[in-house]
Amino acid sequence: MKSVFAKRLFDGDQWLINRTVTFSGNRIVSIEATDLPKCSDMDVVDILAPGFIDVHVNGGGGTLFNHTPTLSALEKIVQIHAQFGTVALMPTLISDDYTIMSQAHDAVCEALEQNMAGILGLHYEGPYLNPVRKGVHNEFQLRQPNEGILATLLDVSHHGKLMVTLAPEQVREGFIEWLVSHNAIVSIGHSAATYEQAIAAVESGARGFTHLFNAMTPLTSREPGVVGAALQTKTATWCGLIADGHHVHPASMRIAIAAKGCEHMMLVTDAIQSVGSNETEMAFLGKKVMRSDGKVTTEDGTLAGSDLDMASAVRNTIFLTGRTPAEALQMASLRPAEFLKIDDQFGRIKDNYRASMVALNNDYRVQKTWIDGHVAWGH
């Protein structure tokens, strides 16, 4: 049994004062109101909150998953992002050939079979994307889906979570339903779809929108586009938001959150290998990218993923958008857990939930991270 005394506890729903959280193995067993720590060697923290969940992580610590789609790369990425409060993530493979997709699939399946802490599943970002909205993706890797080949890359859903970002106008009718029938979570992104096409994709089972505003048709007066569909609330969908101040203007973030509601907005990083490293220039899918002023770009200025971590995303959401700390913390934990349908295990500090938590100081900077009851970062 291990215990942590929190001067302030955000349990995923509300703030509580002076609480002792006790956990055994990978589960929380009790939360008690106590005026003081029960023993002198107990961890005492300013703020204890549910650990962050990131559904869009390309790399970290000098490692890009596309470059090294291996078990050791996954371990490295989890280790790096733990220092920023991330306790569970979806390693993300940017559009690549089927050989690399297969290697990534095998590595993630092995990680899931070994119950590797911090790995939830696999996110294929592409390759079924629209070249018109390709962003930094290599156009020669974008293609139509081949269900025969693809079927061999979907059984990750038997072990963990599977997420596929696609452009609905680039796939045949019925393809989204086919993916959903294989337990894939479909997200719309890198798309030139009309509003009507995006809404039809949602009605077919698409559940999310990848990095809202970026690489998708904008909201205009006579064509609401993918952004307009994303901000609809009739059907429950979740929007990934890169809150770094570069991908989305703070005013646009405020407008989107006001329209969609915090309950269906989730913070994502889209982090590449620069996060947790000192590199300023690095190779990226056959290109060179530069890191400067909190962003990473190709030589022509195209954003190449991000240099964002989840703790910074939380702080930015509080200070750039004016949302409450509770709302920002939920957007980093409970909302992505709901999107992935794992909110019975993650996103709250409650009895029998996973002991995956983050200790923060009063400036919302990470002091310590626990993943499944074990210290993943901090002392």
Side-chain angles (χ1 to χ4, degrees), residues 244 246-247 290-297 303 306-307:
D244 62 356
H246 300 293
H247 283 77
M290 281 75 66
R291 173 194 204 179
S292 177
D293 299 323
K295 61 181 177 180
V296 279
T297 60
L303 288 167
S306 89
D307 191 39

Side-chain angles (χ1 to χ4, degrees), residues 132-138 190 214-215 246-247 270 272 284 287-291 295-306:
V132 173
R133 296 283 177 176
K134 68 183 188 319
V136 77
H137 289 242
N138 287 328
H190 291 274
N214 291 272
H246 300 293
H247 283 77
D270 197 6
I272 68 165
F284 182 85
K287 303 180 178 74
K288 183 172 78 170
V289 297
M290 281 75 66
R291 173 194 204 179
K295 61 181 177 180
V296 279
T297 60
T298 61
E299 292 176 287
D300 66 3
T302 302
L303 288 167
S306 89

Side-chain angles (χ1 to χ4, degrees), residues 28-313:
I28 295 166
V29 296
S30 69
I31 298 99
E32 299 176 80
T34 51
D35 289 336
L36 296 168
K38 289 184 173 180
C39 54
S40 59
D41 62 349
M42 183 184 295
D43 279 311
V44 177
V45 303
D46 292 323
I47 297 170
L48 189 67
F52 307 144
I53 299 169
D54 193 347
V55 307
H56 197 158
V57 184
N58 308 300
T63 296
L64 187 73
F65 193 42
N66 279 73
H67 291 175
T68 51
T70 64
L71 198 65
S72 61
L74 294 174
E75 292 173 340
K76 177 72 170 179
I77 291 167
V78 169
Q79 174 191 11
I80 290 297
H81 285 272
Q83 67 186 288
F84 305 111
T86 297
V87 298
L89 57 84
M90 293 286 282
T92 300
L93 192 77
I94 300 161
S95 297
D96 217 319
D97 60 41
Y98 281 123
T99 299
I100 299 297
M101 291 177 74
S102 180
Q103 291 171 6
H105 164 272
D106 292 348
V108 169
C109 284
E110 186 176 354
L112 292 169
E113 288 167 1
Q114 293 180 10
N115 293 314
M116 182 188 290
I119 297 295
L120 293 173
L122 177 59
H123 175 188
Y124 294 120
E125 188 184 6
Y128 319 119
L129 310 178
N130 195 317
V132 173
R133 296 283 177 176
K134 68 183 188 319
V136 77
H137 289 242
N138 287 328
E139 186 169 349
F140 69 87
Q141 295 288 7
L142 306 185
R143 55 194 181 272
Q144 297 289 314
N146 180 322
E147 280 95 326
I149 296 173
L150 187 58
T152 65
L153 303 178
L154 297 182
D155 69 357
V156 64
S157 64
H158 297 143
H159 310 282
K161 296 297 176 178
L162 172 65
M163 180 177 168
V164 179
T165 291
L166 56 75
E169 74 279 12
Q170 295 295 105
V171 301
R172 66 163 181 82
E173 186 177 348
F175 181 67
I176 291 174
E177 290 95 333
W178 181 80
L179 280 177
V180 171
S181 74
H182 284 77
N183 297 315
I185 298 168
V186 175
S187 188
I188 299 170
H190 291 274
S191 170
T194 63
Y195 170 79
E196 288 76 17
Q197 287 173 316
I199 289 294
V202 170
E203 291 172 348
S204 296
R207 187 171 172 82
F209 292 84
T210 298
H211 45 50
L212 181 67
F213 292 112
N214 291 272
M216 60 179 60
T217 43
L219 169 65
T220 64
S221 60
R222 286 180 287 278
E223 172 47 60
V226 175
V227 171
L231 297 181
Q232 293 286 288
T233 57
K234 181 179 178 181
T235 302
T237 58
W238 284 257
C239 297
L241 187 64
I242 306 175
D244 62 356
H246 300 293
H247 283 77
V248 185
H249 191 284
S252 297
M253 286 195 282
R254 290 192 290 270
I255 292 165
I257 296 170
K260 186 72 172 177
C262 289
E263 63 273 19
H264 288 105
M265 199 70 70
M266 57 185 178
L267 300 180
V268 299
T269 64
D270 197 6
I272 68 165
Q273 70 264 41
S274 63
V275 174
S277 95
N278 295 319
E279 298 179 40
T280 55
E281 291 188 7
M282 59 213 84
F284 182 85
L285 304 176
K287 303 180 178 74
K288 183 172 78 170
V289 297
M290 281 75 66
R291 173 194 204 179
S292 177
D293 299 323
K295 61 181 177 180
V296 279
T297 60
T298 61
E299 292 176 287
D300 66 3
T302 302
L303 288 167
S306 89
D307 191 39
L308 181 67
D309 62 79
M310 284 294 279
S312 296

